[in-house]
Amino acid sequence: MKRLSMVIVALLVVGAALYVFLTRSDTSPGQAPVLAGAPADAAVLVRGEYLTKAADCIACHTVAGGKGQPFAGGVPFKLPFGTIYSSNITADPDTGIGRWTDDQFVRALHDGVRSDGQRLYPAFPYTSYTQLSRSDVLAIKAYLFSLPTVSQPNQPADLSFPFNQRWAMGFWNAAFFKSERFVADAAKPAEWNKGAYLATALGHCAECHTPRNLAFALDKGNDLAGAELQGWRAYNITSDPKAGVGAWSDAQLASYLSTGHADGRGSAGGPMGEAVEHSLQHLKAEDVAALVTYLRSVPARQGKSPIDIDTKAPWAVTASAAAPAGNTAEGHEMGLKLFAAACASCHQWNGKGQQTPYAGLLGTRGVNDPEGANVTQMILQGVNMHVGKNHVYMPAFGKAYTDTEVAALANYVMAQFGNKAGRVTPEMVAEQRTK
């Protein structure tokens, strides 16, 4: 019995030592590439504002639709095991981060630990922000502390056991996370390193575009090969010429990132639309070009359910702008009727769009995806974003149409403009409404 007790104690000691070793923090400050929009000699608040926008902090920490105060938190994130809410990151001393020290703020972004020592969930992308330099992190903090404070208590997470045990995140970190700063690749040009820092650390592209494993950790073997987020499909952005963006021109990639639209490729909506509106459109042209350079180098991966794009769908090509092709109603009578009543005036029957190029449908990935996730969400939620001087708007039809009508319209749009047999069902639409 005594020997067994000694063995158990030894195992506990070894386990504790291994836990501490695997969850140790990298305390190095790091050295970030110099971005065009955040030069080293700029005032700290100027740098902080640019970096905060590049990191897209406002999208996750502000309830959309004018229903929340900037950076006051409260945005729900629905996960398979419950819902968590973003926190108030204004400098309010009681409900925000106004009493956080520099070291506490850095530790949150580098290691996922709050000021009270409790661990954060990786829905807050410290798994990417860990690569930020200490100087950039503190510039972000300085900018946030310069903004108006908002007194708004944080909403507690609603998670089932054992996911509601924050201390257990230490074991998750030990298995799937490493605290480390960005290290420039000396074999790569400066522009590539800038793009890598923007994509992996600040822009945290992988958090949306990389699939996750059963433990909700990023599947590094399929980096940027596409994933699902809040009911939307975050597309493959690897260099694969068919499944990814390898066939896109540099101009198309830059346009999509900075404006949310690329002719013949598609228009952003949902979480990507938010990223364009709040973050990407504010990047300097040189930094967007650096991001494009990095994306060009991402290894090609097909990912799950690659999309075969038909840029010359016969039903759309044989239609005029004002009238559908003769055979488009076959099997899609309800969808055609709905499209004629509410959609054709903007999108046109040939899918080229009328008032704005953002309404173009022909050749886009959304209408070529038989699962129809993004087409369905676009119908349900619409689009409402500001890019430069443009107000990109499409009304939401979620309240106007039944699940059966949304499914019929989605399948018709995919048949008309992607030459695809859509697989959207009323049951799928009902599920998409809950995302």
Side-chain angles (χ1 to χ4, degrees):
M1 187 68 178
K2 183 177 180 180
R3 180 176 296 178
L4 177 61
S5 298
M6 292 177 64
V7 170
I8 292 174
V9 170
L11 289 173
L12 289 173
V13 171
V14 172
L18 184 62
Y19 174 88
V20 171
F21 175 76
L22 291 174
T23 59
R24 69 193 188 282
S25 173
D26 177 3
T27 58
S28 62
Q31 183 66 48
V34 178
L35 304 178
D41 58 353
V44 66
L45 291 184
V46 173
R47 292 185 61 246
E49 180 179 11
Y50 188 80
L51 294 168
T52 300
K53 289 179 179 178
D56 203 13
C57 302
I58 195 169
C60 289
H61 290 275
T62 306
V63 176
K67 299 178 180 179
Q69 296 297 312
F71 301 103
V75 178
F77 292 86
K78 296 180 181 179
L79 307 172
F81 33 82
T83 303
I84 61 176
Y85 300 86
S86 62
S87 57
N88 183 340
I89 57 171
T90 72
D92 182 74
D94 298 318
T95 63
I97 59 173
R99 291 195 175 97
W100 287 35
T101 66
D102 285 356
D103 286 342
Q104 288 172 333
F105 189 80
V106 169
R107 192 184 184 200
L109 272 71
H110 280 175
D111 301 310
V113 179
R114 302 188 314 197
S115 63
D116 61 1
Q118 291 288 313
R119 293 190 179 275
L120 294 163
Y121 293 105
F124 171 69
Y126 65 87
T127 48
S128 293
Y129 290 158
T130 186
Q131 296 188 69
L132 295 173
S133 70
R134 180 182 176 89
S135 174
D136 281 357
V137 171
L138 292 181
I140 291 172
K141 177 176 181 283
Y143 175 69
L144 291 175
F145 273 54
S146 75
L147 300 175
T149 61
V150 180
S151 178
Q152 178 174 301
N154 291 318
Q155 189 165 344
D158 181 16
L159 300 174
S160 58
F161 182 84
F163 305 104
N164 59 357
Q165 304 298 305
R166 286 185 179 270
W167 60 268
M169 283 304 305
F171 294 100
W172 187 93
N173 287 343
F176 302 111
F177 169 67
K178 183 179 181 181
S179 175
E180 59 183 350
R181 305 296 83 77
F182 177 84
V183 177
D185 187 339
K188 302 283 189 180
E191 184 175 52
W192 183 93
N193 280 297
K194 283 199 300 181
Y197 188 71
L198 281 162
T200 62
L202 276 168
H204 53 280
C205 303
E207 303 290 341
C208 292
H209 289 275
T210 299
R212 295 178 182 271
N213 59 26
L214 292 176
F216 211 65
L218 295 175
D219 178 3
K220 299 291 187 179
N222 280 301
D223 189 36
L224 304 185
E228 184 179 310
L229 179 73
Q230 300 170 31
W232 294 80
R233 187 168 179 181
Y235 291 123
N236 185 328
I237 55 172
T238 71
S239 59
D240 188 281
K242 291 191 68 176
V245 294
W248 292 37
S249 69
D250 287 357
Q252 287 174 327
L253 275 171
S255 177
Y256 191 85
L257 292 170
S258 57
T259 72
H261 173 78
D263 285 338
R265 299 296 184 180
S267 298
M272 188 63 198
E274 291 179 351
V276 171
E277 179 176 19
H278 300 302
S279 176
L280 294 167
Q281 70 163 318
H282 301 289
L283 296 181
K284 294 288 188 181
E286 301 94 317
D287 291 332
V288 172
L291 190 51
V292 170
T293 296
Y294 174 74
L295 290 176
R296 288 284 188 223
S297 73
V298 176
R301 298 181 177 92
Q302 282 216 332
K304 182 181 178 181
S305 302
I307 299 171
D308 182 23
I309 296 178
D310 187 342
T311 60
K312 296 180 180 180
W315 288 5
V317 171
T318 57
S320 70
N327 64 342
T328 54
E330 186 177 348
H332 295 283
E333 290 82 4
M334 180 185 291
L336 183 147
K337 185 176 180 180
L338 291 166
F339 188 87
C343 312
S345 59
C346 288
H347 296 288
Q348 299 187 299
W349 292 101
N350 57 14
K352 294 183 179 180
Q354 184 167 319
Q355 293 99 330
T356 170
Y358 287 85
L361 294 173
L362 187 62
T364 66
R365 284 208 268 194
V367 302
N368 280 275
D369 178 8
E371 298 300 324
N374 289 9
V375 171
T376 300
Q377 287 291 3
M378 199 76 79
I379 294 169
L380 291 173
Q381 298 185 22
V383 179
N384 188 6
M385 66 179 185
H386 293 82
V387 181
K389 296 181 179 180
N390 297 320
H391 181 199
V392 183
Y393 178 76
M394 171 183 154
F397 294 94
K399 294 182 179 179
Y401 292 164
T402 66
D403 295 342
T404 299
E405 289 172 328
V406 171
L409 179 56
N411 288 328
Y412 172 74
V413 166
M414 287 181 281
Q416 171 78 0
F417 303 109
N419 196 27
K420 298 295 188 297
R423 296 193 285 268
V424 180
T425 66
E427 292 74 21
M428 292 169 62
V429 175
E431 184 180 355
Q432 287 286 68
R433 289 183 189 272
T434 66
K435 298 291 187 177

Coordinates of all heavy atoms in Angstrom, one line a residue, residues 13 100 110 118 159 161 176 277 366 373 416:
V13 N 3.6 14.2 -9.2 CA 4.7 15.2 -9.3 C 5.2 15.3 -10.8 O 5.4 16.4 -11.3 CB 5.9 14.8 -8.4 CG1 7.1 15.6 -8.7 CG2 5.4 14.9 -6.9
W100 N -6.3 46.8 -15.7 CA -5.3 45.9 -16.1 C -3.9 46.6 -16.3 O -3.9 47.6 -16.9 CB -5.7 45.2 -17.4 CG -6.8 44.2 -17.3 CD1 -7.9 44.3 -16.5 CD2 -7.0 43.1 -18.1 NE1 -8.7 43.2 -16.7 CE2 -8.2 42.4 -17.7 CE3 -6.2 42.5 -19.1 CZ2 -8.7 41.2 -18.3 CZ3 -6.7 41.3 -19.7 CH2 -7.9 40.7 -19.3
H110 N -0.9 37.0 -25.1 CA 0.2 36.0 -25.4 C -0.1 34.6 -24.9 O 0.4 33.6 -25.5 CB 1.5 36.5 -24.8 CG 2.2 37.5 -25.7 ND1 3.4 38.2 -25.3 CD2 1.9 38.0 -26.9 CE1 3.7 39.0 -26.2 NE2 2.9 39.0 -27.2
Q118 N -7.6 33.5 -14.3 CA -8.4 32.6 -15.0 C -8.1 32.4 -16.5 O -7.7 33.4 -17.1 CB -9.9 32.9 -14.8 CG -10.5 32.8 -13.4 CD -10.6 31.4 -13.0 OE1 -11.2 30.6 -13.7 NE2 -10.1 31.1 -11.8
L159 N -21.9 27.2 -20.6 CA -21.3 26.0 -21.1 C -21.6 24.8 -20.2 O -21.8 24.9 -19.0 CB -19.7 26.1 -21.1 CG -19.2 27.3 -22.0 CD1 -17.7 27.4 -21.8 CD2 -19.5 27.0 -23.5
F161 N -20.9 21.1 -18.4 CA -19.7 20.4 -17.7 C -19.1 19.4 -18.7 O -19.8 18.7 -19.4 CB -20.2 19.8 -16.4 CG -19.1 19.1 -15.6 CD1 -18.3 19.9 -14.8 CD2 -18.8 17.8 -15.8 CE1 -17.3 19.3 -14.1 CE2 -17.7 17.2 -15.1 CZ -17.0 18.0 -14.2
F176 N -2.4 21.7 -27.2 CA -2.6 22.3 -28.6 C -2.1 23.7 -28.7 O -2.2 24.3 -29.8 CB -4.1 22.3 -28.8 CG -4.8 21.0 -28.8 CD1 -5.7 20.7 -27.8 CD2 -4.6 20.1 -29.8 CE1 -6.3 19.4 -27.8 CE2 -5.2 18.8 -29.8 CZ -6.1 18.5 -28.8
E277 N -15.2 45.1 -43.6 CA -15.7 46.4 -43.1 C -14.9 47.0 -42.0 O -14.6 48.1 -42.0 CB -17.2 46.3 -42.7 CG -17.8 47.6 -42.2 CD -19.3 47.5 -41.8 OE1 -19.7 46.3 -41.6 OE2 -19.9 48.5 -41.8
G366 N -20.1 30.8 -53.9 CA -21.4 30.5 -53.2 C -22.4 29.8 -54.0 O -23.0 28.8 -53.5
A373 N -24.6 26.7 -48.2 CA -24.5 27.3 -46.9 C -24.5 28.8 -47.0 O -25.3 29.5 -46.3 CB -23.3 26.9 -46.1
Q416 N -29.5 28.2 -61.5 CA -29.4 29.2 -62.5 C -28.0 29.8 -62.7 O -27.6 30.0 -63.9 CB -30.3 30.4 -62.0 CG -30.3 31.7 -62.9 CD -31.0 31.6 -64.2 OE1 -31.6 30.5 -64.5 NE2 -31.0 32.6 -65.0

